[in-house]
Short mmCIF file of all heavy atoms in Angstrom, two decimals:
data_model
loop_
_atom_site.label_atom_id
_atom_site.label_comp_id
_atom_site.label_asym_id
_atom_site.label_seq_id
_atom_site.Cartn_x
_atom_site.Cartn_y
_atom_site.Cartn_z
N ASP A 756 280.78 273.74 282.99
CA ASP A 756 281.65 272.77 283.67
C ASP A 756 281.06 271.34 283.73
O ASP A 756 281.73 270.33 283.63
CB ASP A 756 282.10 273.26 285.05
CG ASP A 756 282.98 274.50 285.00
OD1 ASP A 756 283.60 274.69 283.87
OD2 ASP A 756 283.07 275.17 285.95
N ASN A 789 277.19 257.20 243.58
CA ASN A 789 277.79 258.30 242.81
C ASN A 789 278.40 259.39 243.73
O ASN A 789 278.75 260.43 243.20
CB ASN A 789 276.75 259.03 241.96
CG ASN A 789 275.67 259.72 242.79
OD1 ASN A 789 275.34 259.42 243.86
ND2 ASN A 789 275.18 260.78 242.19
N THR A 1022 277.75 271.26 263.70
CA THR A 1022 278.05 272.60 263.18
C THR A 1022 279.60 272.77 263.14
O THR A 1022 280.27 272.64 264.19
CB THR A 1022 277.48 273.70 264.03
OG1 THR A 1022 276.05 273.55 264.14
CG2 THR A 1022 277.68 275.07 263.40
N PRO A 1078 314.10 267.08 270.93
CA PRO A 1078 313.37 266.49 272.10
C PRO A 1078 312.86 267.53 273.06
O PRO A 1078 311.81 267.36 273.57
CB PRO A 1078 314.39 265.57 272.69
CG PRO A 1078 315.45 265.27 271.62
CD PRO A 1078 315.48 266.51 270.68
N ILE A 1101 301.96 258.87 279.11
CA ILE A 1101 303.24 259.29 278.57
C ILE A 1101 304.35 258.85 279.52
O ILE A 1101 304.54 259.44 280.63
CB ILE A 1101 303.30 260.79 278.28
CG1 ILE A 1101 302.12 261.15 277.38
CG2 ILE A 1101 304.67 261.19 277.78
CD1 ILE A 1101 302.03 262.69 277.19
N ILE A 1144 301.49 271.46 262.94
CA ILE A 1144 300.66 272.67 262.63
C ILE A 1144 299.91 272.99 263.92
O ILE A 1144 299.75 272.31 264.90
CB ILE A 1144 299.63 272.32 261.58
CG1 ILE A 1144 298.68 271.16 261.99
CG2 ILE A 1144 300.34 272.05 260.27
CD1 ILE A 1144 297.49 270.96 260.95
#
Side-chain angles (χ1 to χ4, degrees):
D756 289 341
N789 68 332
T1022 305
I1101 302 176
I1144 61 173

